[in-house]
Amino acid sequence: MAMPLGLGHSCRLAGRVMGALSRRQTRGTLLPAIRWYITQTAGNNLQFKLDDRTAHSSLDLFKKDTGVIYRILGLDPSHVQQNPERFRDWAVVFGDGRITGGRHYWEVTVKKSSEFRLGVAEAAMSRDDCVGTNRSSWVFGYVQRKWFAMTTNQRVPVPLVGKPDRVGILLDYEAGLIGLVDIPKAKVIHSMRVTFRGPLCPAFGLWDGELLTHSGLEEPEGLK
């Protein structure tokens, strides 16, 4: 999904083209920060699955809820169980783990998608927003054969040549860092510095193909 850098750009809203994304950022309310079914961790190397309660109706989970596939038509929203956790307009799904501290690393197989976002978001982020468009989410995206980092609806080009089959995400809560990792080179290609203030969860946006997550991993030796 190509998000606006400025005038003349547009974004995809659950399978159709929409403009003026910034108008959506003031809509909706934040979710309660604590919910009974959430597992929180302040340790390291979070292990998670994708949370079906949050998945937009255009997304299907597979491989024991570690993978997600985009269906351009999706399910009829009336056939999807409604709850305040679910993204209503945007093709987004969250991981089921919540991070309150520590250093974490996971990888995502991206070879079967040409349009996606990977990163983290506050667990209480509004389900009326898309990841990367507000102050509650920080993502790395790929669209039109280009990588970018995105938050508050602003994106910055990331100098990653081509599209590897698999990339890593590094999160250091106390250091306020989220980074995109080139796995073969064991190198953080691009990072964002953030003051995290609440529970976070892995976040994924998908508008083509499929993604497969790999969590509970040790970060690559010599990562820099």
Side-chain angles (χ1 to χ4, degrees):
M1 174 170 143
M3 303 302 297
L5 282 166
L7 296 177
H9 289 74
S10 61
C11 56
R12 189 182 301 175
L13 174 60
R16 58 185 183 276
V17 175
M18 298 291 290
L21 173 65
S22 61
R23 292 198 299 266
R24 299 192 56 81
Q25 296 179 20
T26 58
R27 295 179 55 191
T29 56
L30 295 180
L31 297 178
I34 300 176
R35 295 175 293 279
W36 66 270
Y37 59 86
I38 288 174
T39 299
Q40 297 195 8
T41 178
N44 296 324
N45 301 324
L46 172 73
Q47 186 162 6
F48 66 86
K49 293 185 177 182
L50 300 176
D51 188 351
D52 184 61
R53 307 177 206 225
T54 67
H56 183 265
S57 59
S58 64
L59 301 178
D60 284 342
L61 305 188
F62 68 97
K63 203 167 185 180
K64 298 183 178 179
D65 294 346
T66 62
V68 57
I69 188 167
Y70 175 74
R71 310 287 188 188
I72 191 167
L73 296 178
L75 296 174
D76 183 336
S78 65
H79 296 162
V80 178
Q81 182 178 357
Q82 296 302 308
N83 62 72
E85 301 293 326
R86 191 175 305 283
F87 281 88
R88 293 173 281 277
D89 296 324
W90 303 98
V92 171
V93 62
F94 279 178
D96 64 0
R98 299 299 182 264
I99 302 167
T100 57
R103 188 175 171 96
H104 308 271
Y105 175 78
W106 59 90
E107 295 178 355
V108 185
T109 298
V110 299
K111 65 181 179 180
K112 293 185 178 180
S113 177
S114 62
E115 191 172 355
F116 54 83
R117 293 181 189 175
L118 321 167
V120 297
E122 293 179 355
M125 181 185 129
S126 171
R127 295 330 194 234
D128 290 324
D129 290 346
C130 186
V131 289
T133 66
N134 53 31
R135 298 179 183 274
S136 303
S137 54
W138 305 266
V139 296
F140 299 100
Y142 183 83
V143 68
Q144 297 176 349
R145 300 182 180 181
K146 295 180 181 179
W147 288 90
F148 59 90
M150 186 174 185
T151 186
T152 62
N153 208 28
Q154 300 295 319
R155 66 181 187 178
V156 175
V158 171
L160 177 60
V161 178
K163 182 167 75 71
D165 289 347
R166 186 160 160 167
V167 296
I169 297 293
L170 176 68
L171 174 71
D172 191 321
Y173 192 99
E174 284 76 18
L177 178 144
I178 178 171
L180 178 66
V181 177
D182 183 323
I183 298 172
K185 295 181 179 179
K187 179 181 179 181
V188 176
I189 303 162
H190 189 92
S191 63
M192 290 181 273
R193 291 286 181 175
V194 185
T195 301
F196 298 123
R197 301 186 183 279
L200 305 175
C201 53
F204 307 87
L206 180 64
W207 295 273
D208 170 74
E210 65 185 59
L211 301 173
L212 184 62
T213 66
H214 314 271
S215 63
L217 306 176
E218 296 286 342
E219 64 183 76
E221 184 176 353
L223 183 63
K224 56 185 182 299

